[in-house]
Amino acid sequence: DVKVTQSSRYLVKRTGEKVFLECVQDMDHENMFWYRQDPGLGLRLIYFSYDVKMKEKGDIPEGYSVSREKKERFSLILESASTNQTSMYLCASTPTVTGELFFGEGSRLTVL
Amino acid sequence: AQKITQTQPGMFVQEKEAVTLDCTYDTSDPSYGLFWYKQPSSGEMIFLIYQGSYDQQNATEGRYSLNFQKARKSANLVISASQLGDSAMYFCAMREPGGASYDKVIFGPGTSLSVIP
């Protein structure tokens, strides 16, 4: 079975803290994505990666960075968390071409 | 600018009736794909159906069908014979080339469907 695992389901951080959200997939997929989900706004693409060490900005990259050192792992980094980054974060992966996204369970981040 | 539009924030349907969830999209690329995902209150994202831009026939998967009108840039989801378990958020999404080597996938704001017994 396909599996995308996000390291933390719930996090509470303080403003200014550095936050790491980890995502691991076991399907050897090339493409990985980070989204944030907010009510009324749907899922908004933050960053995506189509290969190891390759990354592309999505629609809302400001305040975020990513790292993909190994094919199976895609990390989202908030260098200095702010309250407006309180959200649900969803990681997804997909093989090249076919396109169906496989999602993790999500990480709910609260920044105080 | 929003590239995926879902104009129905919330909808109600009677159990066993059919319902159509609207989705319009905007892209200038001839090669793209359209998805629908379901997100129940448990939060998991469930893939429902996919339509490629070059597919000649509308996609169907069980009770789900995608009414693809390419000229109108419309990809509406039709759920036949609604069930109580269909109550969920539904997201339309589009895969489009982001560059020579990769695609990006973007989502619409979603439609909340409630099935009434």
Side-chain angles (χ1 to χ4, degrees):
Chain A
D1 254 1
V2 162
K3 192 132 178 93
V4 178
T5 303
Q6 294 185 227
S7 55
S8 305
R9 292 294 305 276
Y10 300 94
L11 302 94
V12 179
K13 298 291 182 180
R14 296 207 175 274
T15 301
E17 282 192 87
K18 191 169 186 176
V19 182
F20 292 89
L21 299 178
E22 302 282 335
C23 176
V24 178
Q25 50 98 0
D26 65 357
M27 299 160 285
D28 203 36
H29 287 169
E30 286 81 7
N31 301 305
M32 296 187 75
F33 302 80
W34 275 107
Y35 296 91
R36 65 176 282 177
Q37 181 177 6
D38 301 287
L41 298 177
L43 281 71
R44 291 181 292 166
L45 181 61
I46 305 171
Y47 267 98
F48 63 103
S49 168
Y50 56 96
D51 203 350
V52 175
K53 297 191 186 295
M54 307 304 287
K55 61 185 180 184
E56 290 291 333
K57 293 180 180 179
D59 296 326
I60 52 163
E62 298 78 17
Y64 303 94
S65 62
V66 290
S67 171
R68 193 165 181 202
E69 296 297 317
K70 294 184 177 181
K71 192 174 186 180
E72 68 270 18
R73 187 181 298 270
F74 190 36
S75 302
L76 180 69
I77 303 155
L78 288 67
E79 294 287 343
S80 178
S82 63
T83 55
N84 63 12
Q85 293 178 309
T86 292
S87 187
M88 171 67 84
Y89 290 88
L90 291 169
C91 174
S93 73
T94 180
T96 305
V97 176
T98 62
E100 176 190 342
L101 271 69
F102 297 87
F103 281 87
E105 292 181 311
S107 298
R108 182 165 294 282
L109 172 67
T110 301
V111 183
L112 302 175
Chain B
Q2 184 67 267
K3 299 192 81 173
I4 306 278
T5 303
Q6 295 180 252
T7 57
Q8 308 148 313
M11 288 192 70
F12 292 88
V13 64
Q14 203 75 37
E15 193 178 7
K16 300 180 184 175
E17 297 290 314
V19 63
T20 298
L21 306 184
D22 295 341
C23 174
T24 57
Y25 59 91
D26 183 28
T27 182
S28 57
D29 203 288
S31 176
Y32 56 91
L34 297 154
F35 306 81
W36 278 91
Y37 280 83
K38 172 184 177 181
Q39 187 181 46
S41 56
S42 58
E44 63 186 306
M45 291 289 285
I46 301 168
F47 167 74
L48 295 178
I49 198 166
Y50 173 80
Q51 177 89 40
S53 60
Y54 295 118
D55 294 344
Q56 294 298 312
Q57 293 190 330
N58 286 346
T60 60
E61 289 286 347
R63 293 186 299 113
Y64 304 106
S65 60
L66 199 153
N67 184 1
F68 182 46
Q69 298 188 43
K70 196 169 183 176
R72 294 186 176 185
K73 295 187 175 179
S74 166
N76 298 340
L77 177 71
V78 181
I79 305 175
S80 63
S82 297
Q83 301 172 356
L84 296 178
D86 294 333
S87 294
M89 282 293 292
Y90 288 81
F91 293 100
C92 179
M94 177 172 67
R95 174 183 61 79
E96 62 175 353
S101 306
Y102 56 87
D103 290 357
K104 59 190 288 189
V105 181
I106 57 173
F107 284 74
T111 294
S112 176
L113 178 66
S114 298
V115 180
I116 304 165

